[in-house]
Amino acid sequence: MPEYVEVAGRAILSFLVLFTLARILGKKQISHLTFFDYVVGIVIGDMASQIAIDTSMKFVNGLIGLVVYTLLSVILAYGAIKSFKFRDLVESSPSILVKDGKIMEKSLFKHKMTYDDLMNGLREKDAFMMDEVEMAILETNGQISVMKKPEYQSLTPKDIGLKMKADHAPSLIIIDGTLLEKRFGTLGYTKDWLLSEIKKKGANDFEDVFLAQIDSNGSVYVDLYDDKEEKL
């Protein structure tokens, strides 16, 4: 068998195995990965690439290594869910970097952070002045959470006694010219009403609409297939 055929076959198999193991490990946003999750992901990816291109390695041996790493990751994740102490051991705990407006220098030193690192994290949370910060916490995923002092916090309708109507997320009701009848039926509107709304936007029928969305106030957003580009 030519070597390139073997490499291609191993690459396909390792890809399928890696895909399967990734589904087993579960979904987690990149921003929510802990340092341990990040390292494990790199190692598993590197092992999969070695299986694909290193023809001197037995495929079964590489597969065993991948499976063992995945099983250990699943066991650790399950243990972290079940035990707070174990979770603290594996993922560590959030650390306070700023408390009562004062910087915790020992915490910065412990996590090998500079003042610039701290200020960068604060600015990402729209806190440009240390005077604004009541507390800042370094989360286990490396992100910095910031609580501003009361006088610097954003004013909400509740703060001034305003009552707001209940709101819900906008709902997609037309996709690729097709009315999502089941979803649309739960909103309490009629097809005739919707048709009149999309006609106001330049459509003649549902088939003319690429995407339509309705919010809690009954406002309809419509994107047509034949959008015309404006000349600059």
Side-chain angles (χ1 to χ4, degrees), residues 26-34 37 91:
K27 298 178 181 179
K28 184 181 284 190
Q29 293 183 15
I30 298 299
S31 61
H32 293 167
L33 293 178
T34 64
D37 296 328
E91 299 182 353

Side-chain angles (χ1 to χ4, degrees), residues 19-231:
F19 177 79
T20 302
L21 297 180
R23 294 299 298 268
I24 293 173
L25 286 173
K27 298 178 181 179
K28 184 181 284 190
Q29 293 183 15
I30 298 299
S31 61
H32 293 167
L33 293 178
T34 64
F35 179 73
F36 178 76
D37 296 328
Y38 179 71
V39 172
V40 168
I42 291 176
V43 173
I44 290 178
D46 182 62
M47 291 174 67
S49 65
Q50 288 297 318
I51 293 174
I53 63 177
D54 189 356
T55 55
S56 64
M57 177 191 298
K58 291 184 177 180
F59 186 84
V60 174
N61 292 342
L63 180 60
I64 292 173
L66 276 176
V67 172
V68 169
Y69 241 89
T70 302
L71 287 176
L72 289 175
S73 299
V74 171
I75 291 172
L76 288 176
Y78 183 78
I81 292 173
K82 291 295 183 179
S83 171
F84 175 79
K85 291 183 178 180
F86 187 77
R87 180 167 66 251
D88 187 47
L89 176 65
V90 175
E91 299 182 353
S92 74
S93 299
S95 299
I96 297 176
L97 302 179
V98 179
K99 185 177 181 181
D100 299 329
K102 298 179 180 179
I103 299 175
M104 303 287 101
E105 290 85 359
K106 291 183 179 180
S107 289
L108 290 180
F109 180 78
K110 176 183 177 181
H111 295 286
K112 301 176 179 61
M113 293 181 64
T114 65
Y115 176 77
D116 289 332
D117 295 329
L118 173 62
M119 292 305 300
N120 179 66
L122 296 180
R123 287 193 294 270
E124 289 179 349
K125 303 297 182 179
D126 297 324
F128 288 82
M129 298 288 295
M130 283 301 305
D131 288 343
E132 302 176 5
V133 181
E134 177 69 24
M135 181 176 290
I137 298 175
L138 179 64
E139 306 291 355
T140 56
N141 61 1
Q143 299 293 316
I144 296 179
S145 299
V146 178
M147 182 177 74
K148 293 185 178 181
K149 294 178 179 178
E151 58 267 31
Y152 294 105
Q153 293 181 11
S154 300
L155 191 65
T156 66
K158 184 179 179 181
D159 294 329
I160 56 177
L162 287 179
K163 292 184 178 180
M164 304 296 292
K165 293 182 179 179
D167 198 1
H168 62 72
S171 298
L172 285 173
I173 50 177
I174 299 177
I175 297 178
D176 199 19
T178 302
L179 176 64
L180 306 180
E181 296 194 27
K182 185 175 181 180
R183 182 181 299 179
F184 179 69
T186 64
L187 299 176
Y189 300 99
T190 65
K191 289 185 181 180
D192 291 336
W193 173 84
L194 178 59
L195 187 59
S196 66
E197 289 297 312
I198 65 173
K199 284 184 177 180
K200 294 176 182 177
K201 308 291 184 178
N204 293 319
D205 207 338
F206 297 138
E207 288 79 7
D208 299 329
V209 179
F210 174 68
L211 184 146
Q213 189 181 50
I214 185 170
D215 64 18
S216 58
N217 296 319
S219 298
V220 180
Y221 166 83
V222 175
D223 184 83
L224 303 178
Y225 276 110
D226 59 349
D227 290 329
K228 296 180 181 179
E229 295 185 5
E230 295 183 2
K231 295 182 179 181

